[in-house]
């Protein structure tokens, strides 16, 4: 038992020594403040959060040919009171690729998020989504695209 305790202490000590002082190119924690708690919502902190206001959250490419690669830019504005951070954006499928701003978006600033859909190997009605993880009060935003993909005619 003493042997296990000694090994555990040595392992913990070794872990602590490997920590390097990180350079501060990260964003300040105040930008990702979470106003939710067990006691409820901190309304003052919630009022200071960024807000993503989109022109539209869904787009239809209409009819496209199989193999076509199409894109749409979703325009939005940060109508909140603090910088907006999009920490990640992911498509529901490998055929749907979002390209989003990596830098904080200041209050009042507009930006675009480009979504590219590759219809190669697809056919018929296609509905795809993009999930954004942000520092808004909701923390998550969904965007949707759709297309009617006409299969290539076999020769």
């Amino acid at each position: 038992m003493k042997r296990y305790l000694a090994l555990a202490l040595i392992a913990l000590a070794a872990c602590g020594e490997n920590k390097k002082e990180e350079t501060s190119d990260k964003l300040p924690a105040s930008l990702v403040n979470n106003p939710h708690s067990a006691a409820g919502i901190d309304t003052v902190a919630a009022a200071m959060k960024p807000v993503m206001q989109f022109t539209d959250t869904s787009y239809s490419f209409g009819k496209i040919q199989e193999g076509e690669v199409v894109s749409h830019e979703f325009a939005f504005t940060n109508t909140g009171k603090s910088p907006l951070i999009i920490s990640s954006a992911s498509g529901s499928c490998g055929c749907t690729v979002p390209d989003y701003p990596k830098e904080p978006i200041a209050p009042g600033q507009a930006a675009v998020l480009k979504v590219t859909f590759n219809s190669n190997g697809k056919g018929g009605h296609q509905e795809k989504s993009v999930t954004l993880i942000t520092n808004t009060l909701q923390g998550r935003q969904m965007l949707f695209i759709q297309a009617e993909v006409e299969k290539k005619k076999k020769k």
Side-chain angles (χ1 to χ4, degrees), residues 4 7 21 33-35 42 45 51-52 61 79 83 108 147 151 154:
Y4 292 118
L7 286 175
E21 191 171 318
N33 179 19
N34 184 358
D42 177 351
V51 176
M52 282 184 101
F61 292 108
T79 59
K151 286 289 239 179
K154 294 183 181 182

Side-chain angles (χ1 to χ4, degrees), residues 66-146:
E66 179 186 0
E68 241 183 295
V69 177
V70 292
S71 297
H72 177 70
E73 290 186 345
F74 289 94
F76 65 92
T77 302
N78 176 6
T79 59
K81 296 182 179 176
S82 61
L84 169 67
I85 299 168
I86 302 172
S87 55
S88 71
S90 57
S92 58
C93 157
C95 63
T96 306
V97 180
D99 181 21
Y100 62 97
K102 309 300 188 282
E103 297 298 319
I105 298 145
Q109 183 180 357
V112 294
L113 185 143
K114 182 178 178 182
V115 177
T116 302
F117 171 65
N118 184 345
S119 67
N120 192 33
K122 306 288 182 197
H125 185 74
Q126 300 291 314
E127 292 185 4
K128 306 298 177 185
S129 64
V130 172
T131 303
L132 309 174
I133 304 300
T134 68
N135 65 330
T136 61
L137 185 59
Q138 296 79 12
R140 183 180 308 254
Q141 173 73 48
M142 299 284 293
L143 302 174
F144 304 93
I145 58 169
Q146 62 179 336

